[in-house]
Structures are given as C-alpha cells and as structure tokens.
Amino acid sequence: MSAESSDTPPLVAGVLPGQSPEVLQAAGALAKALAARLVCAYVDEASYLVEWDPARSAHRLSLHPETDNAEIRAVTQELRSSIASSCSPLGIDWTLQLLAGDPARALGKLARDVGAAMIIVGTPEPGLGHRISAALNGSVAAWLSHHQDRPILIVPVRPPVHHRTKHGS
C-alpha cells in the first residue's frame, strides 16, 4: 500500500463476472483521484456465509453442492483479470474479496468493516433476466441507498451499441 493512501479510507466496489468495464473504470478513476485503496467485492448469491473475516475471503458453503472449486477459481481469476486491466494502469492499490449471501447486505457489511468512504455499484444490466431478478430480489443499489450511512455511487451501465441503435436510445 502506498504511503499516500494509508490515511485515506478505502472505496468498496461491487464487481461481477462479465460486468461492464464502466463500473471498474469509474471506481478506479475515483480511487486514483482520492489516493484511496479500492476493495473490490464479488458476492456469490448461491452461497451462504459461514465465517466472516474482512481480511480474507469469506468462508462459505454453496447452495449448489455440484459447483466445484474449479468453477469458483475460474470466476475469481476472471474477476482478478478484469480488475487488473482496469486498475493496474492507474497505479492504484486494489484487492478482491469474495463474499457470500445477499449482495447488498454483504457489500454494506464489508464497507462498514473496512471503514470505506463510499460504495460503488453499477446499474443492472439490460435484459429481461436482469429485470426479473431485480424485481424478485430487489436492486442492490436501491437497498444500499436506503440502508447505508455512507455515500453510494451508482455507475450507469450503457447497453451495447447494437442495443442502443436498435431501440433508438
């Protein structure tokens, strides 16, 4: 960790496999501008928390026992690669935390435990599946904005160019 970021509270960013790069780009740029460490967090909704230690990945048990460790390692590697490609060129200090359970509550707890200055999340991806999921489970950004005592930055995720031109947005 650089000396200039040691006194600055970290930022927490929610990350997902295949997520639009705009979220990490915005989080990285803000972390650089504030000389803050970026704590990226992926919350596996198909697991539940067994033990919590903000200094390490959460110990969790899967709700889908057929999911093997190779799949979890592949997701972790994909996330590390995405974060590194967005954040390493900026020269910021970043980490990845793997959490379990409800994404909004897990991100909120992590932010509280690390003393984060802000939580950064993206808007839901476009598409029917994501809209149904948000309707059933609620929006992570909406829950955080109503239940947190720290600022929430919601990064708008633009649909792919072919989607915008097809639908006129």
Side-chain angles (χ1 to χ4, degrees), residues 16 43-45 99-108 140 143-144:
L16 296 167
V43 184
D44 182 0
E45 291 182 86
L99 307 174
D102 176 77
R105 286 176 175 81
L107 288 172
V140 171
W143 191 92
L144 287 169

Side-chain angles (χ1 to χ4, degrees), residues 8 10 12 32 37 40-41 56 61 101 108 115-116 119 129 140 145 154 167:
T8 305
V12 168
K32 181 171 180 67
R37 182 171 53 100
C40 298
R56 303 187 326 217
L61 295 177
I119 302 172
V140 171
S145 69
I154 303 169
H167 298 293

Side-chain angles (χ1 to χ4, degrees), residues 44 46-47 60 62-72 75:
D44 182 0
S47 298
R60 65 196 198 299
S62 178
L63 298 175
H64 302 287
E66 66 278 0
T67 302
D68 65 12
N69 285 335
E71 288 178 52
I72 294 167
V75 167

